[in-house]
């Protein structure tokens, strides 16, 4: 694997009702999801997620946490029937998670595809807001693609990467921690305020860094770890593991989003093949993570365990050079153009960050936000503790184009676009063709009355004439593609024909 692997992203959107800080976010999040499902004819019996193969308390370090010891937020393998939870025709999941609407993208195989289907999620969130606003009994609801409310609460933009299970987990931890500590310089979303409650004045690179407390762990909403150990592969368990990454920010600029996923996939590939030599182990990684975030000048020098001192950019350059040597030695890349795009942008961004940070404003969220905020500070003489800057930070993330500041930059041609609006529009309704998401999404679109539930690794049918439900496992993420089952689905007028065709010998 190089940049090509099964991957995806989960975005929890901030939610608010202007003028009503006591509004119930769980109820409102349910409305956000439900109004979109209703507008697109997604039946209520699709709201049940299939939890049969889920196990959120299995730890990649080799043990199982008991349900009695787990925090309630970790029990993601059961459903509150009052909360909306739907599978979309594009293969994504749209549901309520911890009082936030969450869009979990379908599985894709390249970083660029992640950007396409992630932006499709933003478009779905926007449509949900507008549908609610059009209702006669509406309550104005806003959604924000950010990671903190500025008052001490943080919510995630999680990444998922499929890996071979044979890769030793200690190696994953050893080599990922220095990478994650410093990766924020190319994909941080920027934030006004220092500390979990944002009370200390200043600007920092990452929305999430201040909320992390430990290096390795199973939790996601408390005692947040740099490397999460949830071992829930959503695939054939003895062959695969899913690396669940919770440390990233929600990106809106294409280059940052592509680099976040692409560089991480390359580092995982080097770990899987044993290419990396001695790790660039950082002393006190959690403190280093936050110190890097608090230094937009990028001049902070981190102390390594071996006595060396390096900046975050130095460490990122080390990973890039290792990736270049690894790729030159392999020469078997299945998606060379995609890999070349990541490598070219990675080198370009690191070079420009080292010469002139602000030159990266069209590409990197935190730089674009900082440039905008510095303009307001210069014009109006504002200090970092001015409430107007915090309000601008929130407005940056508003999903509505007429309100969200990042949309204004995009409309004015001040951002580098890697995907087209036509691709994003298509991805709102069409699943990726080269993963099992195509089978899942196409079944939801074609056989909606017969879909009882679905998940990443199954579709459960309620078939007329059958006394029991019929589960179709899709544990192989690269099976169920358009090439493999497209003809069968095209020739199946009903679910009986589909299931008969799936059962027929190849």
């Amino acid at each position: 694997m190089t940049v090509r692997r099964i991957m995806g992203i989960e975005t929890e959107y901030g939610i608010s009702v202007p003028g009503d800080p006591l509004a119930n976010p769980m109820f409102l999040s349910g409305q956000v999801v439900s109004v979109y499902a209703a507008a697109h004819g997604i039946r209520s019996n699709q709201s049940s997620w299939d939890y049969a193969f889920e196990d959120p308390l299995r730890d990649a370090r080799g043990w199982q946490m008991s349900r009695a010891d787990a925090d309630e937020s970790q029990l993601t393998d059961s459903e509150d029937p009052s909360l909306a939870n739907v599978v979309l025709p594009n293969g994504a999941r749209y549901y309520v998670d911890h009082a936030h609407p969450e869009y979990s993208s379908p599985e894709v195989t390249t970083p660029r595809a992640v950007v396409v289907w992630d932006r499709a999620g933003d478009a779905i969130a926007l449509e949900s807001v507008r549908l609610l606003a059009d209702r006669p009994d509406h309550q104005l609801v806003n959604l924000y693609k950010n990671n903190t409310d500025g008052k001490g609460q943080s919510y995630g933009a999680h990444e998922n990467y499929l890996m071979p299970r044979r890769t030793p987990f200690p190696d994953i931890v050893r080599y990922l921690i220095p990478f994650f500590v410093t990766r924020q310089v190319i994909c941080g979303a920027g934030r006004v305020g220092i500390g979990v409650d944002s009370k200390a004045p200043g600007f920092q690179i990452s929305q999430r860094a201040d909320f992390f407390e430990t290096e390795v762990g199973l939790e996601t909403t408390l005692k947040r770890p740099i490397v999460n150990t949830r071992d829930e592969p959503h695939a054939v368990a003895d062959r695969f593991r899913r690396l669940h990454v919770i440390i990233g920010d929600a990106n809106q600029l294409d280059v940052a989003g592509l680099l976040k996923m692409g560089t991480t996939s390359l580092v995982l590939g080097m770990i899987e093949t044993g290419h990396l030599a001695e790790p660039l182990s950082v002393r006190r990684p959690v403190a280093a993570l936050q110190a890097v975030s608090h230094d937009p000048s990028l001049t902070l020098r981190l102390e390594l365990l071996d006595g060396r001192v390096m900046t975050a950019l130095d460490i990122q350059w080390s990973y890039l050079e290792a990736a270049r040597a690894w790729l030159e030695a392999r020469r078997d890349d299945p998606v060379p153009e995609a890999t070349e795009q990541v490598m070219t942008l990675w080198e370009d961004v690191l070079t420009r960050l080292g010469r002139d940070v602000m030159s990266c404003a069209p590409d990197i969220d935190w730089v674009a936000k900082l440039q905008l905020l510095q303009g307001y500070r210069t014009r109006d003489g504002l200090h970092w503790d001015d409430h107007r800057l915090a309000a601008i930070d929130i407005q940056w993330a508003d999903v509505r184009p007429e309100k969200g500041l990042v949309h204004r930059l995009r409309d004015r041609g001040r951002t580098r676009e890697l995907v087209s609006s036509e691709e994003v529009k298509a991805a709102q309704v069409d699943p990726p063709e080269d993963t099992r998401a195509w089978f899942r999404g196409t079944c939801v679109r074609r056989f909606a009355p017969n879909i009882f539930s679905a998940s990443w690794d199954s579709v459960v049918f309620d078939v007329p004439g059958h006394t029991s439900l019929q589960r179709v496992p899709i544990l192989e993420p690269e099976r169920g593609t358009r090439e493999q089952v497209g003809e069968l689905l095209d020739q199946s007028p009903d679910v009986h024909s589909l299931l008969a065709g799936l059962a027929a010998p190849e």
Side-chain angles (χ1 to χ4, degrees), residues 2-3 111 175-176 178-180 182-187 254-256 258-270 275-276 280 312-327 338-354 360 363-364 416 418:
T2 53
V3 299
Y175 292 109
L176 276 186
F179 177 69
F180 283 159
T182 58
R183 186 187 69 163
Q184 58 187 304
V185 302
I186 60 173
C187 59
D254 289 356
V255 171
L258 181 133
L259 286 177
K260 177 171 65 178
M261 305 298 294
T263 60
T264 304
S265 186
L266 286 171
V267 171
L268 294 179
M270 291 190 286
H275 173 77
L276 293 173
L280 299 167
L313 286 177
D314 292 335
I315 292 173
Q316 282 292 303
W317 273 111
S318 294
Y319 278 102
L320 184 148
E321 295 297 342
R324 180 179 289 117
W326 177 64
L327 291 168
T339 302
E340 180 62 27
Q341 182 181 36
V342 172
M343 290 294 293
T344 299
L345 288 172
W346 195 5
E347 181 175 9
D348 175 53
V349 165
L350 291 180
T351 299
R352 286 187 290 124
L353 285 174
C360 288
D363 302 325
I364 306 302
R416 183 168 10 174
L418 302 180

Side-chain angles (χ1 to χ4, degrees), residues 201-506:
F203 177 88
Q204 61 176 304
I205 290 171
S206 170
Q207 291 250 314
R208 291 275 277 174
D210 284 350
F211 294 90
F212 283 75
E213 301 177 58
T214 189
E215 295 175 33
V216 184
L218 186 61
E219 295 83 359
T220 58
T221 60
L222 70 163
K223 299 179 183 176
R224 291 183 180 92
I226 294 174
V227 176
N228 183 251
T229 60
R230 180 183 292 180
D231 189 5
E232 194 175 31
H234 299 315
V236 181
D238 60 351
R239 292 181 53 206
F240 300 112
R241 69 160 38 98
R242 173 180 61 109
L243 183 69
H244 187 54
V245 176
I246 69 170
I247 200 168
D249 289 354
N251 292 109
Q252 300 207 61
L253 299 190
D254 289 356
V255 171
L258 181 133
L259 286 177
K260 177 171 65 178
M261 305 298 294
T263 60
T264 304
S265 186
L266 286 171
V267 171
L268 294 179
M270 291 190 286
I271 296 171
E272 290 160 353
T273 57
H275 173 77
L276 293 173
E278 289 300 312
L280 299 167
S281 299
V282 177
R283 197 175 296 277
R284 299 178 61 224
V286 175
L289 171 77
Q290 294 162 1
V292 170
S293 184
H294 299 169
D295 177 43
S297 72
L298 305 183
T299 58
L300 177 74
R301 294 166 67 82
L302 300 173
E303 185 179 353
L304 275 57
L305 290 180
D306 62 10
R308 285 180 292 169
V309 177
M310 302 175 72
T311 68
L313 286 177
D314 292 335
I315 292 173
Q316 282 292 303
W317 273 111
S318 294
Y319 278 102
L320 184 148
E321 295 297 342
R324 180 179 289 117
W326 177 64
L327 291 168
E328 289 176 354
R330 286 177 57 99
R331 300 190 181 279
D332 61 348
D333 191 343
V335 286
E337 297 85 0
T339 302
E340 180 62 27
Q341 182 181 36
V342 172
M343 290 294 293
T344 299
L345 288 172
W346 195 5
E347 181 175 9
D348 175 53
V349 165
L350 291 180
T351 299
R352 286 187 290 124
L353 285 174
R355 292 175 179 169
D356 174 13
V357 168
M358 288 304 171
S359 69
C360 288
D363 302 325
I364 306 302
D365 294 61
W366 74 267
V367 181
K369 184 184 289 186
L370 178 59
Q371 185 180 70
L372 182 72
L373 290 165
Q374 292 286 32
Y376 281 101
R377 294 184 72 220
T378 300
R379 188 190 71 182
D380 299 330
L382 304 180
H383 298 288
W384 281 117
D385 58 356
D386 194 292
H387 68 91
R388 285 172 287 183
L389 295 179
I392 292 168
D393 194 355
I394 296 294
Q395 189 180 354
W396 171 274
D398 197 316
V399 300
R400 297 170 298 176
E402 67 274 17
K403 298 291 185 180
L405 296 179
V406 72
H407 298 287
R408 297 184 189 180
L409 295 181
R410 183 173 285 134
D411 291 343
R412 294 170 183 173
R414 294 174 59 183
T415 62
R416 183 168 10 174
E417 303 296 292
L418 302 180
V419 303
S420 68
S421 57
E422 291 77 17
E423 289 177 285
V424 173
K425 184 176 181 180
Q428 291 176 244
V429 293
D430 296 331
E433 296 185 355
D434 58 351
T435 71
R436 63 187 174 190
W438 193 81
F439 178 77
R440 180 193 311 117
T442 304
C443 285
V444 167
R445 184 176 67 250
R446 288 277 311 279
F447 306 113
N450 302 113
I451 303 290
F452 178 80
S453 64
S455 70
W456 305 117
D457 42 26
S458 66
V459 178
V460 180
F461 295 93
D462 187 357
V463 184
H466 285 253
T467 57
S468 60
L469 298 173
Q470 306 294 304
R471 174 179 281 111
V472 176
I474 42 176
L475 287 164
E476 291 282 357
E478 294 190 79
R479 293 186 63 84
T481 66
R482 179 166 190 165
E483 180 180 1
Q484 293 165 346
V485 296
E487 184 177 354
L488 172 61
L489 277 160
D490 289 343
Q491 295 176 355
S492 298
D494 53 42
V495 71
H496 288 282
S497 303
L498 174 64
L499 293 178
L502 290 172
E506 295 183 0

Side-chain angles (χ1 to χ4, degrees), residues 88-135:
L88 303 180
N90 73 347
R93 183 187 186 189
Y94 197 29
Y95 73 116
V96 180
D97 185 29
H98 303 308
H100 294 270
E102 177 172 314
Y103 169 86
S104 296
S105 77
E107 309 92 324
V108 297
T109 59
T110 65
R112 186 180 184 279
V114 172
V115 174
V116 172
W117 269 271
D118 181 45
R119 284 186 56 179
D122 297 342
I124 287 168
L126 170 62
E127 184 177 343
S128 302
V129 167
R130 288 178 169 166
L131 287 167
L132 276 179
D134 289 340
R135 287 180 15 173

